[in-house]
């Protein structure tokens, strides 16, 4: 089941708000070599490039569907390549700024991946990352509960995706132990307000639900969606429905 940029973009304004908070931490130097890990459609990467004059920016992503839209933003200072985050970090290339907005929650072992990202920075380089606090967000908790029940548990062969996202304390420690300066780590709520709670299903279906549906038959996907929507409506009975979506933002220089 491939990423669908149209579904993902249904909540564009809600998904883009934390990007601007992350971007505000970027030091506006010129002639930077910038890497955007998990660039998606490239629209936000283009905003990143515009905010850093005379810099060269590369966006990488694994999704061909997302990158198809990035062609509209390519120019002589901004390019895109299809590649995984770990594959990119294995390349012997150094960067002045490594930027990752809502992507590394898909990569395991953050105790390992963050130091690897830092090792790819030039002296005085900056690392900026934003990701959802998946373990604390209600929709992720409901999803994890449901996939461990029958018949989904059997269809998934007991597989479930435990989020690799750590606590803010743990991220601050890693940045410090790796020699970080000007360390910034915080969690912020980005409210999602919808008229009908079933719209919250649409929000998560464009991200965290994807790896589960990849492992289900179409028939099971339908029954799963109905049950998941039912539980979401039960958890968010009011209209409009207010969802306190938590995200972690972190940054440091090295």
């Amino acid at each position: 089941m491939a990423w669908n940029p149209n579904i993902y973009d249904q909540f564009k304004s809600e998904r883009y708000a934390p990007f601007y908070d992350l971007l505000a931490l970027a030091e506006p130097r010129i002639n930077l070599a910038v890497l955007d890990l998990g660039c998606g459609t490239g629209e936000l990467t283009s905003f990143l490039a515009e905010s850093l004059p005379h810099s060269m920016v590369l966006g990488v992503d694994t999704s061909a569907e997302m990158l198809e839209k990035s062609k509209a933003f390519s120019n002589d200072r901004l390019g895109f390549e299809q590649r995984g985050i770990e594959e990119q970090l294995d390349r012997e290339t150094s960067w002045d700024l490594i930027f990752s907005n809502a992507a590394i929650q898909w990569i395991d072992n953050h105790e390992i991946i963050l130091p690897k990202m830092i090792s790819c920075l030039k002296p005085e380089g900056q690392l900026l990352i934003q990701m959802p606090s998946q373990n604390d967000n209600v929709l992720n908790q409901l999803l994890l509960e449901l996939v461990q029940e029958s018949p989904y548990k059997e269809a998934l062969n007991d597989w479930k995706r435990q989020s690799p996202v750590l606590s803010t304390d743990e991220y601050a420690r890693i940045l410090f132990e790796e020699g970080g300066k000007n360390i910034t780590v915080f969690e912020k709520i980005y409210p999602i307000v919808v008229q009908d709670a079933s719209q919250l299903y649409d929000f998560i279906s464009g991200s965290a639900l994807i790896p589960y549906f990849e492992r289900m038959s179409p028939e099971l996907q339908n029954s799963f969606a109905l049950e998941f929507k039912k539980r979401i409506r039960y958890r968010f009975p009011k209209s409009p429905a207010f969802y306190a979506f938590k995200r972690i933002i972190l940054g440091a220089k090295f």
Side-chain angles (χ1 to χ4, degrees):
M1 181 177 176
W3 282 84
N4 186 326
N6 295 321
I7 293 176
Y8 189 83
D9 279 351
Q10 285 180 13
F11 290 85
K12 180 182 288 190
S13 61
E14 290 86 354
R15 295 189 190 278
Y16 283 15
F19 165 85
Y20 292 107
D21 285 342
L22 188 64
L23 182 60
L25 298 177
E27 292 192 352
R29 297 183 287 159
I30 63 171
N31 300 321
L32 297 176
V34 181
L35 175 64
D36 184 9
L37 295 172
C39 63
T41 64
E43 183 173 0
L44 292 179
T45 315
S46 71
F47 297 157
L48 174 64
E50 289 171 5
S51 72
L52 301 170
H54 311 294
S55 297
M56 301 297 294
V57 181
L58 173 65
V60 300
D61 202 283
T62 58
S63 171
E65 293 79 12
M66 289 286 198
L67 287 173
E68 182 64 27
K69 289 199 168 188
S70 74
K71 295 176 181 178
F73 306 107
S74 296
N75 56 50
D76 58 351
R77 291 198 305 111
L78 174 59
F80 300 93
E81 296 178 9
Q82 185 176 359
R83 190 177 302 122
I85 290 175
E86 292 167 297
E87 182 185 353
Q88 175 64 46
L89 296 177
D90 283 336
R91 298 194 162 205
E92 296 181 0
T93 311
S94 297
W95 307 88
D96 296 298
L97 170 61
I98 295 179
F99 189 96
S100 185
N101 180 63
I104 73 162
Q105 71 272 16
W106 298 107
I107 306 296
D108 292 333
N109 302 315
H110 285 196
E111 292 270 7
I112 296 173
I113 202 69
L114 260 71
K116 198 167 187 179
M117 294 169 78
I118 293 165
S119 72
C120 294
L121 289 169
K122 297 179 181 181
E124 298 302 306
Q126 188 177 22
L127 176 68
L128 295 175
I129 298 172
Q130 182 275 125
M131 71 198 103
S133 302
Q134 290 178 322
N135 292 312
D136 294 327
N137 282 322
V138 172
L139 289 181
N140 294 91
Q141 294 169 352
L142 292 175
L143 175 59
L144 191 60
E145 290 172 3
L146 183 54
V147 299
Q148 295 178 84
E149 298 178 11
S150 297
Y152 315 112
K153 176 181 179 180
E154 291 77 12
L156 294 165
N157 293 316
D158 285 334
W159 180 87
K160 58 182 179 294
R161 188 174 190 277
Q162 294 284 18
S163 173
V165 176
L166 305 174
S167 69
T168 53
D169 288 8
E170 290 170 304
Y171 286 120
R173 173 187 56 79
I174 293 171
L175 296 178
F176 173 76
E177 291 178 351
E178 292 297 317
K181 300 177 292 184
N182 303 331
I183 295 172
T184 298
V185 181
F186 63 90
E187 183 179 81
K188 180 177 176 179
I189 288 176
Y190 292 87
I192 297 176
V193 180
V194 293
Q195 287 303 310
D196 189 297
S198 64
Q199 292 173 270
L200 294 176
Y201 170 85
D202 298 333
F203 175 75
I204 198 170
S205 71
S207 54
L209 196 53
I210 291 174
Y212 292 105
F213 272 14
E214 287 176 338
R215 293 167 168 82
M216 293 183 191
S217 67
E219 294 77 17
L220 204 60
Q221 289 177 23
N222 290 334
S223 67
F224 188 94
L226 289 172
E227 179 61 27
F228 195 17
K229 289 177 183 178
K230 176 182 174 182
R231 297 188 185 197
I232 292 172
R233 286 193 297 269
Y234 181 81
R235 180 62 180 78
F236 299 93
K238 295 182 179 180
S239 181
F242 175 86
Y243 180 40
F245 191 59
K246 304 179 186 72
R247 294 181 181 269
I248 294 172
I249 288 178
L250 62 88
K253 287 188 66 177
F254 295 88

